[in-house]
Amino acid sequence: MFSSRLLALTPYTPGEQPRDRRYIKLNTNENPFPPAPAVQQVLANFSAEELRLYPDPEALELRRAFAERYGLAQDQVFCGNGSDEVLALIFYSFFDRAFGPVLFPDITYSFYPVFCSFHGLDFTTIPLDDEYRIRITEYIEKASGIEYSGIIFANPNAPTGIALSLAEIEVLLKQVRSDRLVVIDEAYVDFGAESAVSLIERFPNLLIAGTLSKSYALAGLRLGYAFGAAPLIEALHCAKDSFNSYPISRLGQKLGCAALGDPDYFFRQRDRLMAIRESTADELRRREFRVLPSMTNFLFTSPPDGRAVDLFSSLKKKGILVRYFDKARIDNFLRISIGTAEEMKRLIEAIDEG
Ligand SMILES: *Cc1c(COP(=O)(O)O)cnc(C)c1O
């Protein structure tokens, strides 16, 4: 009854969404602030009658809203039901077993190997350096030595939080072959890093993936995007329409437009979050935690004794959930999402209680 494809899958494990008690939830990088007020307004005015009809399969208004917000043309924008779906369609459309493996870092978003297994692709990982940074030169070297399907990494990377500069991304794009896709997953780019969106005019093999889940505080809505040259976007539509023609609901398209239409609110909340991040990082460093330089809405940090799993358990007992990865090279670290100032104060108190 079960296909061999299914039996070969090892699914992604998301951070837990507990139901047993109320936690201070710092484990899945959700935004602690509410979405833009216009989102609430659209919800209040939405008529159930509208749900009788199918949504626009091309999500034209939503794509126009993205295009306006990011200085693109509508045909350079693709939207999907969360960036996880967008990424799944990217892996399907541009990576091919016959081209060779997909290249990505040994420590990065752990969904990439899952997409590979789902689509029957091989992958080769390239280790981060000793400071947990992506080394562009290693990708250039690897890409010149072997046949490969394409390159993908998150920038800023997860769960390290460290960002590459736009100049480094440009060097990579100039040095690798132009007939293989480079995907920059910018899920966290809004929290202080440089987006590569300005490069898509010059590099027809560049796709940027992103999401409204984190910086727009809309994880529950499920809206993701890809930006790239029109032929790449057209290819993604071909894949989408062979799988699910209506991935974004009527309500979802309207709410997305509302969120994108209020950049002032967006920047205010973002600045607030980044300030909390920096003060929390200072508090942790004062307690001799190692804290990697974060350009995201989380901190990747190692306690002074390196016993991250013990700290994870003691925080959980105190009602604070963070993320621990039982994985070589990072099992002495915790990933802590940035919450409200009060939540972070409680975190530091819990750490001090021991
Ligand atoms: C959160 C995250 C995603 C997925 O975002 P959704 O739009 O919520 O599916 C993709 N990539 C990275 C690196 C992420 O951290």
Side-chain angles (χ1 to χ4, degrees):
M1 181 151 92
F2 302 108
S3 73
S4 54
R5 288 188 307 270
L6 180 99
L7 295 171
L9 294 178
T10 316
Y12 174 73
T13 325
E16 51 185 320
Q17 299 288 0
R19 289 179 200 96
D20 56 331
R21 61 177 277 193
R22 274 189 80 83
Y23 282 95
I24 294 181
K25 237 184 125 280
L26 308 176
N27 69 329
T28 52
N29 298 340
E30 288 142 333
N31 197 311
F33 305 124
V39 173
Q40 185 64 62
Q41 247 156 43
V42 170
L43 271 176
N45 297 330
F46 190 81
S47 155
E49 164 71 8
E50 265 202 59
L51 296 177
R52 226 170 28 80
L53 304 173
Y54 280 107
D56 173 9
E58 292 184 83
L60 282 171
E61 267 181 54
L62 179 59
R63 288 164 64 208
R64 194 175 309 127
F66 269 108
E68 267 169 29
R69 174 75 174 74
Y70 290 96
L72 298 165
Q74 203 173 36
D75 65 0
Q76 294 172 315
V77 177
F78 178 82
C79 295
N81 186 25
S83 80
D84 286 339
E85 184 192 72
V86 174
L87 289 166
L89 293 171
I90 290 173
F91 274 67
Y92 183 84
S93 307
F94 303 103
F95 300 153
D96 193 315
R97 209 185 161 80
F99 296 168
V102 183
L103 308 183
F104 51 78
D106 61 338
I107 296 163
T108 190
Y109 187 36
S110 47
F111 221 134
Y112 303 152
V114 177
F115 292 131
C116 285
S117 96
F118 190 76
H119 295 305
L121 299 161
D122 297 318
F123 62 88
T124 298
T125 59
I126 300 182
L128 301 182
D129 72 9
D130 293 340
E131 300 288 302
Y132 300 95
R133 285 177 307 217
I134 290 173
R135 296 294 297 261
I136 283 303
T137 47
E138 304 234 359
Y139 285 77
I140 295 167
E141 218 166 90
K142 193 82 184 175
S144 68
I146 61 165
E147 292 293 327
Y148 67 101
S149 263
I151 297 171
I152 180 165
F153 52 78
N155 189 50
N157 197 18
T160 63
I162 299 175
L164 288 168
S165 70
L166 182 57
E168 287 171 291
I169 305 268
E170 187 172 350
V171 168
L172 173 74
L173 285 160
K174 278 188 179 150
Q175 301 281 325
V176 297
R177 48 192 290 188
S178 58
D179 61 349
R180 290 292 180 267
L181 193 74
V182 175
V183 185
I184 315 285
D185 180 346
E186 295 192 346
Y188 300 103
V189 78
D190 295 319
F191 300 104
E194 294 174 288
S195 171
V197 67
S198 61
L199 299 178
I200 68 177
E201 292 290 344
R202 282 164 50 215
F203 296 97
N205 61 326
L206 169 63
L207 262 185
I208 291 168
T211 175
L212 300 193
S213 293
K214 280 90 185 217
S215 55
Y216 286 86
L218 288 169
L221 183 59
R222 314 305 303 129
L223 269 184
Y225 60 84
F227 300 151
L232 302 182
I233 299 305
E234 206 177 309
L236 287 173
H237 278 114
C238 170
K240 166 187 100 63
D241 290 332
S242 310
F243 177 71
N244 180 4
S245 324
Y246 305 106
I248 312 172
S249 70
R250 274 184 172 262
L251 182 57
Q253 296 189 26
K254 286 200 162 173
L255 296 174
C257 288
L260 290 165
D262 193 348
D264 289 345
Y265 178 85
F266 171 86
F267 285 116
R268 238 182 2 257
Q269 304 304 318
R270 181 200 73 155
D271 290 350
R272 229 172 121 190
L273 191 139
M274 285 165 62
I276 299 171
R277 176 186 74 206
E278 292 314 306
S279 60
T280 307
D282 287 347
E283 293 292 342
L284 290 169
R285 290 196 181 104
R286 213 168 287 150
R287 287 157 180 80
E288 286 173 17
F289 279 60
R290 178 175 182 191
V291 186
L292 300 189
S294 171
M295 290 288 185
T296 61
N297 67 338
F298 58 83
L299 292 169
F300 202 49
T301 182
S302 179
D305 63 3
R307 299 166 68 108
V309 72
D310 294 347
L311 180 55
F312 168 84
S313 309
S314 103
L315 289 173
K316 188 167 178 180
K317 275 192 215 117
K318 292 174 186 169
I320 302 176
L321 265 191
V322 300
R323 189 89 194 255
Y324 167 73
F325 298 93
D326 187 8
K327 182 178 158 80
R329 290 189 79 190
I330 56 169
D331 56 4
N332 51 337
F333 277 84
L334 294 178
R335 192 195 68 189
I336 304 177
S337 310
I338 302 303
T340 61
E342 297 73 57
E343 288 171 329
M344 302 322 273
K345 185 165 164 266
R346 184 64 205 110
L347 168 81
I348 297 293
E349 282 167 6
I351 287 171
D352 286 345
E353 286 158 20

